[in-house]
Amino acid sequence: MSRGLAILVVGVLVTAAACAPKTPPAVVPAPWFPEFLQPPVPPAAAPAVVADLSIAWNQLQAGNTSGADRTYIRVLKMAPKTAAALAGQGYVALAGRDAERAISRFDEALTLTPSMAAALLGKGQALLELERHADALASFEAAQQADPQLALASRIETVRFRVVEDSVARARDLATRQQWDDARSAYEAAIRVSPDSAVLYRELAGVERRAGFSPEADAHLGRALELDPQDRATQIQLAETR
């Protein structure tokens, strides 16, 4: 082939390639539940179990919750004590807004694998659905401890605020009904969650003064002043006790 003819052939091939229809890149659908954490596959699991766990999770993230549940059931028939399948069923239940069933499945998974971050995280999400904020906080904190790579700090702080808010609202209500012991317990519960709050110590002291626990009230007012030396309300209460 002459040099000129070879150049002509190359040019035709390049032009044909440029004009050929382009295959669009594959579009990966976004997961339906990005807040869910995939349970880890057991290292010694049989290949069929490993394959089905992957299939079930993909079904769940594609929105096929019934298909995912059937696949997890198939896994549990092959390997009844597969914590990843039980946790997966927990997420299926959570996707279906069945928080009670979700908690039951997550608890079963945690019985087998107590430090499974995916099950602890899912259980926390289910507990939030039921507005059990204190229990949800404990579950999220345990998940963070189990897997420090999880970015749960913001969620934990938000839930911690709700727990304190709930405890304080209950304490104030009990105080208005002069149920002093229960009111003290509610404030103490709030302080366990937020131990650096001067306001909580001050309000606890107020309840204790009205209940006749003066030494305890003085100690808690002192602690409130240590935490916030500029708090005028605490200063006034201390002055009234002297």
Side-chain angles (χ1 to χ4, degrees):
M1 181 184 295
S2 68
R3 185 170 183 275
L5 181 57
I7 294 172
L8 178 61
V9 171
V10 171
V12 170
L13 292 174
V14 170
T15 302
C19 295
K22 301 293 189 296
T23 302
V27 177
V28 179
W32 278 49
F33 308 101
E35 71 278 15
F36 291 176
L37 180 63
Q38 185 173 5
V41 177
V49 169
V50 174
D52 273 352
L53 286 174
S54 178
I55 290 169
W57 188 257
N58 289 334
Q59 288 172 318
L60 173 59
Q61 289 296 356
N64 183 7
T65 54
S66 58
D69 201 34
R70 286 194 297 271
T71 306
Y72 281 128
I73 289 171
R74 187 165 68 226
V75 171
L76 291 169
K77 286 181 179 178
M78 290 187 287
K81 293 186 178 182
T82 304
L86 292 166
Q89 285 190 315
Y91 278 115
V92 169
L94 193 56
R97 307 302 295 271
D98 188 347
E100 295 284 2
R101 179 173 183 264
I103 291 169
S104 174
R105 289 296 181 270
F106 288 129
D107 279 341
E108 288 183 65
L110 290 167
T111 298
L112 296 168
T113 310
S115 61
M116 182 190 288
L120 291 164
L121 176 61
K123 182 178 178 180
Q125 292 169 339
L127 289 164
L128 276 187
E129 290 284 335
L130 298 176
E131 297 188 355
R132 291 169 55 183
H133 300 124
D135 293 333
L137 176 62
S139 196
F140 286 138
E141 288 177 333
Q144 184 70 83
Q145 184 175 4
D147 184 356
Q149 299 302 314
L150 292 175
L152 295 179
S154 177
R155 181 179 295 186
I156 286 172
E157 286 307 309
T158 299
V159 178
R160 179 175 285 118
F161 176 80
R162 289 296 304 272
V163 172
V164 173
E165 193 175 51
D166 291 347
S167 295
V168 170
R170 181 170 180 272
R172 289 172 178 169
D173 177 64
L174 290 165
T176 60
R177 290 185 273 132
Q178 298 186 6
Q179 296 181 21
W180 306 121
D181 289 341
D182 290 337
R184 289 179 71 196
S185 296
Y187 274 119
E188 288 166 353
I191 288 170
R192 283 194 294 273
V193 177
S194 183
D196 297 327
S197 172
V199 173
L200 294 179
Y201 281 101
R202 170 164 46 82
E203 292 198 15
L204 171 59
V207 166
E208 288 171 332
R209 284 182 62 198
R210 282 178 283 173
F213 297 100
S214 297
E216 292 88 343
D218 290 347
H220 288 137
L221 285 174
R223 178 58 179 153
L225 201 61
E226 287 177 11
L227 292 167
D228 186 0
Q230 306 304 318
D231 183 37
R232 182 70 177 158
T234 300
Q235 293 172 351
I236 291 172
Q237 282 198 40
L238 274 172
E240 290 174 348
T241 63
R242 293 170 182 168

